[in-house]
Amino acid sequence: MLNVRKSVFIEISSSEVRFLCWDRTFWSKNPELDFYVFPLESKTSPTDNSELVKVLMDFREQHLCNQKVSAYLLIPLQIGLIRDFRLPWIPKQDRDSAVGYYIEHEIPVPSGELVYYYQELEEKENEYLKVKVSAARREIISKYGDYLTEAGYRLEGVEYAVNCVGEVLGQLGDKRILILQQIKEDRIQLALFKGALLEVIREIDGGERDISQFMFSIRWQDNELPIDMMLSDGSDEADSLASLLRRKNLIKDQQPTPIFEKSKLSFLNAQGIKAYGAYGYLIKIKNGKQANLFSPFLMPLKLKLLAMMAGIFLSVLLLFSTQIWYPLYADYISSEIRIDSFQMDLANLESEQAQDISADWRKLEAKSYQDLEQLDKALRYIEKELKLTRLNYKQETLHLWAEGTDNPSISKLTSKLMADGWHDPVLVNYKYYQESISFCLRVTR
């Protein structure tokens, strides 16, 4: 919860820095909100901080009176990842350790170099659990923390901007809304939301004009069209693609303005979608829903403070107990013994839980082997028509790269895989060159 008088939400993109200032005066019930955008002359990266730090320092000097305010940072998804995991159902008290175990084995980064958090999306007791994991390299988040500290801010949290946009869109109900934002000179980030839930996120070429291929890549089905609304960040590339989608009648609400009629959100109509991420982060914190990539760096400070407070408390308690209430000291020693015993029991329980998770993992490995045996039969079925070049199978998702001479062989392969129990086929990549085709097909179990 926001328990300070003034805070600032800072979003860093490849071309600009955005600031949303939240200021609650003593004599006003409603806080003041001000939004600013500052362009960056050069490309930003976590390893090049000179211009970024200058922009941050200049803003603090001009708009925050050089105060050391609490800051919440929004970063682009391009420096990390968001991934859905479908796991065996796990009791709530065991989920933190179990999710950490799966992340360690499924993300090709040493666990010590990673910071992450997860959100529970769906579960069916005793069957499955679906979670969304947001992760980034610890070194990158640490560098951003150093930049904010160098610029004079007190960093309290870090989130991916796209994870916060949904908090704003959720105010519109369960509408399906497409967000188009330019992230590089010729690249567009496409994010499809249903209410507050992020359904699909893709990075595509700004010059993409093959609508059928475009729709296939983002898993649009005929019964899902047209979508309710589309919003662009105003860049030339994003607006060009938005115009094309409107001409193809894929968008129901052609002119969605003004979007917000509530007084608390009306200022967003003037700011556009560039302010959605920062304001969404504000909503998450107010509602106690913050999922913070910076938590591992804050934890040592909190532990030191708690340890200091605990030390002072115990010192005072010991002083009084030795002078006045000595019997309480004996009770304290007895409590320490019980805590040690409880910790030993907890360690044994964690060991048993790790064995259970390992057993579940071996079951998944056995199932994966059976899946690959069926896949081998499917490939032999069409081995004269297609040449397999590479495949990758993780988390019941298969990526298959192959080459051939005609498109019917792709359909034939897809039909064979679906007949063998695979589903949700998606043509992730497709190229045609000199009467030869190469493609990547994704299917799931």
Side-chain angles (χ1 to χ4, degrees):
M1 299 292 289
L2 284 174
N3 54 6
V4 295
R5 191 178 70 83
K6 180 177 292 188
S7 299
V8 60
F9 296 81
I10 305 171
E11 181 175 354
I12 299 175
S13 73
S14 61
S15 60
E16 60 189 20
V17 184
R18 304 159 191 162
F19 297 86
L20 176 65
C21 294
W22 183 90
D23 191 359
R24 183 183 60 192
T25 59
F26 291 110
W27 54 85
S28 175
K29 294 182 179 179
N30 297 320
E32 297 180 5
L33 292 172
D34 295 296
F35 185 69
Y36 307 88
V37 177
F38 291 85
L40 292 170
E41 298 296 331
S42 60
K43 303 288 185 183
T44 63
S45 72
T47 57
D48 180 14
N49 70 321
S50 55
E51 184 184 3
L52 174 60
V53 171
K54 184 179 185 306
V55 170
L56 294 171
M57 293 178 67
D58 289 347
F59 181 84
R60 191 170 70 91
E61 178 181 352
Q62 297 170 15
H63 299 278
L64 300 174
C65 302
N66 267 337
Q67 298 179 46
K68 193 177 183 68
V69 301
S70 295
Y72 299 88
L73 181 64
L74 296 100
I75 56 177
L77 181 59
Q78 288 68 42
I79 66 170
L81 61 87
I82 298 175
R83 185 177 297 176
D84 290 353
F85 285 90
R86 185 184 175 95
L87 311 175
W89 185 82
I90 304 165
K92 286 187 178 294
Q93 65 271 19
D94 303 329
R95 288 179 184 177
D96 289 348
S97 58
V99 171
Y101 177 85
Y102 276 93
I103 289 174
E104 181 178 354
H105 288 78
E106 293 300 324
I107 297 180
V109 177
S111 58
E113 299 179 12
L114 214 67
V115 290
Y116 68 90
Y117 64 84
Y118 71 94
Q119 299 163 283
E120 299 169 3
L121 300 180
E122 181 184 357
E123 66 173 295
K124 189 172 183 180
E125 189 170 355
N126 298 321
E127 291 192 18
Y128 67 86
L129 171 67
K130 188 175 182 181
V131 298
K132 182 184 293 291
V133 174
S134 299
R137 286 188 177 273
R138 178 181 293 271
E139 179 184 8
I140 293 177
I141 302 301
S142 177
K143 284 184 179 296
Y144 275 122
D146 293 341
Y147 302 159
L148 269 291
T149 301
E150 182 181 348
Y153 296 85
R154 184 172 57 251
L155 186 58
E156 302 285 352
V158 179
E159 267 265 35
Y160 285 123
V162 71
N163 275 340
C164 298
V165 170
E167 295 297 319
V168 174
L169 301 181
Q171 309 295 317
L172 301 174
D174 289 332
K175 290 184 178 180
R176 300 181 73 243
I177 302 175
L178 181 66
I179 301 290
L180 302 178
Q181 291 182 288
Q182 185 176 15
I183 54 177
K184 298 177 183 176
E185 291 182 358
D186 57 347
R187 302 292 290 176
I188 296 175
Q189 178 176 279
L190 174 151
L192 181 63
F193 293 84
K194 183 175 182 182
L197 179 63
L198 176 63
E199 289 190 328
V200 179
I201 184 166
R202 294 285 186 275
E203 181 181 329
I204 65 172
D205 290 325
E208 178 64 65
R209 293 297 181 268
D210 186 344
I211 292 298
S212 60
Q213 179 70 14
F214 173 81
M215 292 170 59
F216 189 65
S217 70
I218 62 174
R219 299 185 300 190
W220 271 352
Q221 306 295 329
D222 291 340
N223 61 353
E224 297 174 335
L225 296 173
I227 64 172
D228 297 307
M229 187 185 301
M230 177 175 60
L231 301 173
S232 166
D233 66 357
S235 63
D236 292 340
E237 293 288 347
D239 282 349
S240 176
L241 180 57
S243 297
L244 177 61
L245 296 177
R246 289 192 181 99
R247 289 198 303 271
K248 296 294 183 179
N249 295 320
L250 299 178
I251 311 300
K252 186 182 301 182
D253 191 345
Q254 296 285 343
Q255 300 295 332
T257 55
I259 302 174
F260 298 103
E261 298 179 358
K262 295 181 179 180
S263 58
K264 292 183 179 180
L265 300 175
S266 59
F267 89 104
L268 291 175
N269 292 328
Q271 306 301 339
I273 67 173
K274 289 187 176 182
Y276 286 13
Y279 192 77
Y281 202 170
L282 172 61
I283 294 175
K284 292 185 75 171
I285 293 177
K286 280 188 172 181
N287 295 336
K289 296 168 58 178
Q290 181 185 11
N292 191 353
L293 285 169
F294 199 62
S295 291
F297 301 94
L298 293 174
M299 189 60 66
L301 299 177
K302 294 179 179 179
L303 290 176
K304 287 181 181 179
L305 179 61
L306 289 174
M308 182 178 67
M309 294 176 63
I312 294 174
F313 173 77
L314 290 176
S315 297
V316 173
L317 179 63
L318 183 60
L319 176 63
F320 276 91
S321 65
T322 53
Q323 294 183 357
I324 303 174
W325 297 298
Y326 181 80
L328 292 177
Y329 179 73
D331 291 339
Y332 168 75
I333 296 299
S334 177
S335 298
E336 284 287 311
I337 295 174
R338 289 196 298 269
I339 291 174
D340 289 340
S341 176
F342 174 78
Q343 289 177 337
M344 292 182 61
D345 293 340
L346 182 61
N348 293 333
L349 180 60
E350 290 177 346
S351 176
E352 294 174 1
Q353 292 170 349
Q355 293 175 2
D356 292 340
I357 292 174
S358 179
D360 290 339
W361 182 256
R362 289 193 294 271
K363 292 179 182 178
L364 286 174
E365 284 185 329
K367 186 177 183 301
S368 298
Y369 180 78
Q370 295 174 358
D371 292 342
L372 292 175
E373 284 186 327
Q374 290 190 349
L375 174 62
D376 181 66
K377 295 179 181 178
L379 295 175
R380 292 178 182 278
Y381 180 68
I382 58 162
E383 62 182 356
K384 295 181 179 180
E385 301 176 26
L386 290 175
K387 177 184 177 182
L388 176 68
T389 59
R390 186 157 58 103
L391 62 83
N392 185 10
Y393 182 54
K394 285 184 178 181
Q395 282 286 309
E396 300 186 339
T397 299
L398 171 68
H399 286 80
L400 184 148
W401 289 264
E403 297 177 350
T405 58
D406 54 38
N407 290 323
S409 59
I410 301 177
S411 300
K412 188 175 180 181
L413 173 60
T414 303
S415 300
K416 177 61 178 172
L417 290 172
M418 294 182 69
D420 288 342
W422 300 86
H423 56 86
D424 296 334
V426 175
L427 193 60
V428 178
N429 193 13
Y430 178 91
K431 293 183 180 179
Y432 178 83
Y433 179 72
Q434 294 184 353
E435 299 183 354
S436 176
I437 60 173
S438 60
F439 64 94
C440 175
L441 180 66
R442 185 184 69 206
V443 289
T444 59
R445 262 302 181 191

